[in-house]
Structures are given as structure tokens and as C-alpha cells.
């Protein structure tokens, strides 16, 4: 029995001894291949309005004149987005400009640029301005360049103010309009 155990040990010794050179031979003959991986990205200039990167159907905000009597002469408001001014964040190196391309009732605006309608043939004219004093009217289809320099970090504000004008014979009702706008860069 002892002879058999010695043979087994011997065989184990041979087995172990024979594995060591093959493990070392595998390491000694290892090869490697080196190379490169090309990595790229193409970035295009962009702007987002009020946090939206969409290119159509963007909500620029709203202009709400509130509630007044039919005998009002003027009502002022500001275009707001959730209580804040419109924010435009653009890539560095672009020059964003904003324009109103038209309103649903512009033909009824008279001396003003736009008009709100009640659906029964009555209209309340109004204009959009780029200053709080309402001295610089934003004419339809006339680009307005935003102030400041886009840096892709700090949003620029787009200040838009409105003034509605009363006129004789207005009926008590709700009046509204939809302005089509465009931001170009």
C-alpha cells in the first residue's frame, strides 16, 4: 500500500511538475495587439426656449391682460412663462433673434399690430413692445436681436411687453389671440 501511495504522490509530483513549465511557457509566449479607437462627436449650434430644446410647438409664454371693464382705455401686461420672463439659452457664437410672424386676428388690429377676438365680430387691438415703457413696438416680421452674448451657460431674457387698447362699443366677453413667433440663430 505504501508503494502505491508513493507512486500516487510521485504521479502527483510529476503532474504538478509538468504543469508548471506549461503555465510558464504560456506566459512566455503571450502576444498582444495594440491599436486605436476613433472617437468623435459633431456639435451643432442650438438654442432652447424656457428649457425646451424642441424646434416646433414651443410654448414661449403667455400675455394676460387680466379683467377690465368694457370701458377701459389701456391695459398693460408682460409676456411671462410661469411667472418669469422668457429665457433663451444658446450656444456660444450664435446671434439669436426673435420675431412675431403674425397673429390670428392681425387684419382687425387697426392702428395696432394685433387684435384679440371674442368670436362674435368684436376685437381688442394690442401691440407688443420690447421695453417696459412701451415705446419700442415690435413690428410683425421684424427680427429683434436679444441683448447679451450667448455662452451656453447663462440664459438671456427676452423681454416682451403688451398694451391692449380699449375702443367704444366693446361687448363684455372673453377675447383671445394666438401669436406665431420664431427664434432664429
Amino acid at each position: 500500500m505504501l508503494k502505491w501511495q508513493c507512486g500516487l504522490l510521485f504521479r502527483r509530483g510529476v503532474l504538478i511538475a509538468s504543469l508548471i513549465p506549461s503555465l510558464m511557457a504560456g506566459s512566455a509566449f503571450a502576444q498582444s495587439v495594440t491599436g486605436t479607437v476613433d472617437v468623435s462627436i459633431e456639435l451643432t449650434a442650438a438654442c432652447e426656449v424656457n428649457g425646451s430644446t424642441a424646434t416646433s410647438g414651443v410654448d414661449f409664454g403667455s400675455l394676460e391682460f387680466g379683467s377690465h371693464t368694457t370701458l377701459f382705455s389701456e391695459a398693460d401686461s408682460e409676456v411671462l412663462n410661469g411667472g418669469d420672463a422668457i429665457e433663451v439659452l444658446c450656444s456660444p457664437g450664435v446671434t439669436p433673434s426673435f420675431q412675431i410672424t403674425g397673429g390670428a386676428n392681425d387684419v382687425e388690429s387697426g392702428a395696432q399690430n394685433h387684435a384679440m377676438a371674442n368670436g362674435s365680430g368684436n376685437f381688442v387691438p394690442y401691440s407688443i413692445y420690447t421695453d417696459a415703457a412701451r415705446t419700442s413696438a415690435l413690428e410683425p416680421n421684424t427680427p429683434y436681436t436679444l441683448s447679451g452674448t450667448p455662452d451656453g451657460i447663462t440664459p438671456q431674457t427676452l423681454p416682451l411687453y403688451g398694451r391692449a387698447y380699449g375702443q367704444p362699443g366693446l361687448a363684455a366677453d372673453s377675447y383671445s389671440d394666438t401669436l406665431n413667433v420664431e427664434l432664429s440663430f
Side-chain angles (χ1 to χ4, degrees):
M1 179 141 199
L2 184 58
K3 189 175 180 179
W4 180 76
Q5 287 178 343
C6 288
L8 183 59
L9 291 175
F10 179 69
R11 287 186 185 144
R12 283 188 187 165
V14 170
L15 181 63
I16 292 173
S18 67
L19 285 177
I20 292 173
S22 66
L23 288 174
M24 291 175 62
S27 297
F29 296 110
Q31 297 183 14
S32 64
V33 176
T34 62
T36 62
V37 173
D38 294 331
V39 178
S40 66
I41 186 172
E42 183 176 337
L43 301 177
T44 59
C47 288
E48 64 181 34
V49 177
N50 299 327
S52 173
T53 57
T55 57
S56 65
V58 175
D59 181 4
F60 277 72
S62 61
L63 178 63
E64 298 178 10
F65 288 104
S67 180
H68 302 276
T69 70
T70 59
L71 305 176
F72 86 102
S73 60
E74 290 181 353
D76 290 341
S77 187
E78 180 179 359
V79 176
L80 297 175
N81 174 53
D84 296 320
I86 300 169
E87 289 189 343
V88 177
L89 180 64
C90 292
S91 302
V94 302
T95 304
S97 67
F98 172 84
Q99 69 178 330
I100 297 172
T101 58
N105 309 298
D106 287 357
V107 296
E108 302 295 337
S109 63
Q112 306 312 315
N113 296 327
H114 311 286
M116 296 172 276
N118 70 348
S120 298
N122 293 304
F123 300 93
V124 175
Y126 69 99
S127 289
I128 303 291
Y129 300 87
T130 57
D131 64 319
R134 291 164 179 82
T135 56
S136 298
L138 184 57
E139 301 295 327
N141 297 306
T142 302
Y144 168 74
T145 302
L146 277 65
S147 63
T149 302
D151 62 7
I153 300 168
T154 306
Q156 296 167 270
T157 57
L158 174 57
L160 295 177
Y161 304 90
R163 178 169 284 162
Y165 299 90
Q167 55 187 4
L170 286 174
D173 205 345
S174 292
Y175 293 77
S176 63
D177 190 23
T178 300
L179 292 175
N180 298 308
V181 298
E182 177 178 88
L183 181 75
S184 301
F185 53 92

